[in-house]
Amino acid sequence: MGIKFYSRGAAQEVTGSRHYLDYHGKKIQIDCGAYQGKRQESDERNRAIAKDISIESLEAVILTHAHFDHSGMLPVLIKNGYNGNIYATPATRDLASLIMMDSAKIQAKDVEYLKYRAQKRGKLFTGDVIYDENDAVQATDQFLTVGYKRPVLITPEIKLTFYDAGHILGSSLVVLDIKDTNGKDIRFAATGDLGRKNKPIIRDPEIIPNPDYLVIESTYGDRLHENKDDAEKRLAEIIRVTAKRGGRIIIPAFAIERTQELIYHLHLLTDRKEIPDNIPIYVDSPMATNATSIFRVHPGCYDAETHEAFIKHHKNPFGFNALRYTTSVEDSKRINDIKGPVIIISADGMCEAGRITHHLTQAIEKPENTILIVGFMAHQTLGRKIKEKHKTVKIFGEPYDLKAQVECIDSFSAHADYEEIKEYMSQLDLERLKRVFLVHGESESQDNLKKELKSIGVKDVKIVKYGEEYEIE
């Protein structure tokens, strides 16, 4: 049967990563992410995963990192009978456990709300959650944690080694050394989401041993990030200008990595007195608060800069006088009563759910406020429409006029841009590299990245299509 590679998610799109290495009929799954987009489409596509999995042939599952679009549907495997190992780093396990449990709770609340709405209309609602909290707990129990550069046999023929991807806390580049039936050695690698050099808190991406085949993300395959120092200056300027107007700065941010990085920068700006120290800063996301606690207990993942700026001086990088964490709904609502400037960091990062939607309804129609976009926004999401400055957007099905100022800072992204990907790739043996597979990107990004990689001497670049099988020889 040979060795094959194929994808069932994040193929010519950005979310829902699910990739498979088929070793003579035995399958190794890399990531099991949730599709993120419009609520109804996301629900339908994530439910369909259960019908799309052959549990009997699944030998092992590998998780590159904890983001929802890579880890969020792992409990579906368990619910459908998978009882094998899920390999990940310790920090990834801790963060993924938080994300899966949060997803289960949100699903339960959504079902409860839909039942209530159906009853009011005199109808019967028969829907159910995709998975529940018990499934999430069981998934966490099946994690087998592996440190960076600690090789482990996941089957008699396949050895797994994790390297630091520099994307979020615990993120990994996956290297699989395969002993084929003919005695041939093949090295197959996958980046998950490739991070960037010189990002705060976490270490730079590590260079992996030279692979024969490489699966690489392409989220920013057609874009370049701003300089980090310039971005910090822009952040300070946006805050100062908005504060002078008496407005609010609303920052949609994913609860993991982006929120912690923003806190880090705001801490530095406050210490250097580059922003007023009397502006309250709220992290209004229970998951972000919990995730930040996980960051605190994994200082071994921090880079030298963070150790020098904070740990060496016994300072908490995620806590300072102006910063407040909210957990309860009541605390969240009370933020709306604050008069004058305030900074609110809240999830969801693409503005499709969570407390950020409520803050947007309060802020979006007031020109003194600023909505600051600091990450990737997928097509058709509310965040993308705000970023593109649509005159009117819908929140909870109601139209709102976009009168607030909209600012974007791309350099806070944790994804490598195409120049950073090229720089990383140029450090590999391109003569040995037989093929690069592009996943996790929109068509424009993938087309451009393919061209850019060819320009540095990558011989074969394949844009992966959903379900299409590729021979590994």
Side-chain angles (χ1 to χ4, degrees), residues 245-302:
R245 292 196 301 261
R248 295 172 168 241
I249 300 98
I250 310 295
I251 310 177
F254 289 111
I256 293 173
E257 190 278 328
R258 194 62 42 79
T259 292
Q260 290 76 31
E261 184 177 351
L262 284 165
I263 294 168
Y264 177 95
H265 285 294
L266 290 169
H267 194 166
L268 292 178
L269 291 172
T270 301
D271 282 354
R272 297 199 299 257
K273 302 190 184 307
E274 293 180 32
I275 59 174
D277 59 8
N278 62 343
I279 301 178
I281 301 167
Y282 285 89
V283 176
D284 188 29
S285 164
M287 183 161 53
T289 300
N290 292 332
T292 304
S293 297
I294 293 172
F295 268 67
R296 289 192 188 109
V297 300
H298 287 282
C301 295
Y302 296 172

Side-chain angles (χ1 to χ4, degrees), residues 77-117:
L77 300 182
I78 279 66
K79 188 174 181 178
N80 284 271
Y82 178 68
N83 58 8
N85 291 329
I86 301 170
Y87 294 90
T89 65
T92 292
R93 174 206 56 203
D94 291 350
L95 290 171
S97 175
L98 172 66
I99 285 173
M100 293 184 297
M101 188 63 75
D102 186 71
S103 173
K105 290 176 180 176
I106 290 171
Q107 290 176 55
K109 287 180 181 177
D110 283 349
V111 167
E112 187 179 326
Y113 171 72
L114 291 170
K115 284 181 179 177
Y116 167 76
R117 195 170 71 173

Side-chain angles (χ1 to χ4, degrees), residues 180-216:
D180 201 1
T181 51
N182 57 12
K184 189 176 181 181
D185 293 325
I186 300 170
R187 182 170 290 149
F188 181 93
T191 64
D193 286 347
L194 182 64
R196 308 172 59 200
K197 292 171 66 175
N198 303 317
K199 291 284 287 177
I201 307 173
I202 58 175
R203 295 186 292 257
D204 292 350
E206 292 183 307
I207 302 302
I208 57 174
N210 292 308
D212 300 298
Y213 296 88
L214 178 64
V215 182
I216 193 166

Side-chain angles (χ1 to χ4, degrees), residues 326-354:
T326 65
T327 53
S328 71
V329 173
E330 291 73 23
D331 287 342
S332 178
K333 289 178 178 178
R334 275 194 283 270
I335 299 173
N336 295 324
D337 298 329
I338 296 172
K339 306 300 180 186
V342 61
I343 299 169
I344 303 170
I345 304 169
S346 188
D348 157 286
M350 295 190 193
C351 306
E352 282 295 310

Side-chain angles (χ1 to χ4, degrees), residues 52 148 168 179 183 197 290 335 353 361:
D52 191 36
Y148 293 125
I168 67 168
K179 181 74 70 174
K197 292 171 66 175
N290 292 332
I335 299 173
T361 61

Side-chain angles (χ1 to χ4, degrees), residues 9-108:
Q12 297 182 298
E13 60 187 358
V14 174
T15 68
S17 284
R18 284 192 299 133
H19 312 295
Y20 296 87
L21 188 69
D22 188 321
Y23 180 86
H24 302 283
K26 297 177 181 179
K27 294 180 177 61
I28 307 296
Q29 180 170 335
I30 302 174
D31 291 338
C32 191
Y35 177 82
Q36 292 174 286
K38 297 298 289 181
R39 182 184 290 261
Q40 184 174 345
E41 183 186 6
S42 296
D43 184 73
E44 290 172 356
R45 292 186 59 168
N46 289 329
R47 287 182 185 279
I49 289 174
K51 303 173 185 176
D52 191 36
I53 296 171
S54 174
I55 296 296
E56 297 75 20
S57 61
L58 199 56
E59 288 284 303
V61 176
I62 301 168
L63 181 58
T64 62
H65 67 286
H67 273 151
F68 188 54
D69 61 333
H70 290 258
S71 72
M73 290 295 116
L74 282 170
V76 173
L77 300 182
I78 279 66
K79 188 174 181 178
N80 284 271
Y82 178 68
N83 58 8
N85 291 329
I86 301 170
Y87 294 90
T89 65
T92 292
R93 174 206 56 203
D94 291 350
L95 290 171
S97 175
L98 172 66
I99 285 173
M100 293 184 297
M101 188 63 75
D102 186 71
S103 173
K105 290 176 180 176
I106 290 171
Q107 290 176 55

Side-chain angles (χ1 to χ4, degrees), residues 166-187:
H167 175 62
I168 67 168
L169 194 78
S171 60
S172 301
L173 299 150
V174 171
V175 175
L176 298 174
D177 285 297
I178 305 165
K179 181 74 70 174
D180 201 1
T181 51
N182 57 12
K184 189 176 181 181
D185 293 325
I186 300 170
R187 182 170 290 149

Side-chain angles (χ1 to χ4, degrees), residues 112-244:
E112 187 179 326
Y113 171 72
L114 291 170
K115 284 181 179 177
Y116 167 76
R117 195 170 71 173
Q119 285 172 354
K120 284 188 71 175
R121 296 175 179 176
K123 296 181 179 179
L124 179 66
F125 177 77
T126 58
D128 201 359
V129 295
I130 303 173
Y131 60 84
D132 62 22
E133 292 182 40
N134 290 330
D135 299 317
V137 169
Q138 183 59 45
T140 302
D141 285 346
Q142 289 177 214
F143 272 77
L144 195 157
T145 59
V146 183
Y148 293 125
K149 299 179 184 176
R150 304 290 295 179
V152 59
L153 281 175
I154 59 173
T155 76
E157 309 88 359
I158 301 176
K159 180 176 69 178
L160 162 69
T161 311
F162 286 133
Y163 293 83
D164 198 332
H167 175 62
I168 67 168
L169 194 78
S171 60
S172 301
L173 299 150
V174 171
V175 175
L176 298 174
D177 285 297
I178 305 165
K179 181 74 70 174
D180 201 1
T181 51
N182 57 12
K184 189 176 181 181
D185 293 325
I186 300 170
R187 182 170 290 149
F188 181 93
T191 64
D193 286 347
L194 182 64
R196 308 172 59 200
K197 292 171 66 175
N198 303 317
K199 291 284 287 177
I201 307 173
I202 58 175
R203 295 186 292 257
D204 292 350
E206 292 183 307
I207 302 302
I208 57 174
N210 292 308
D212 300 298
Y213 296 88
L214 178 64
V215 182
I216 193 166
E217 66 131 326
S218 51
T219 312
Y220 279 82
D222 62 345
R223 277 161 283 185
L224 297 174
H225 297 309
E226 299 168 90
N227 176 275
K228 179 177 76 73
D229 294 334
D230 291 342
E232 202 173 73
K233 290 175 184 175
R234 279 200 65 215
L235 176 62
E237 177 67 12
I238 289 166
I239 292 169
R240 288 195 299 265
V241 169
T242 306
K244 197 171 182 180

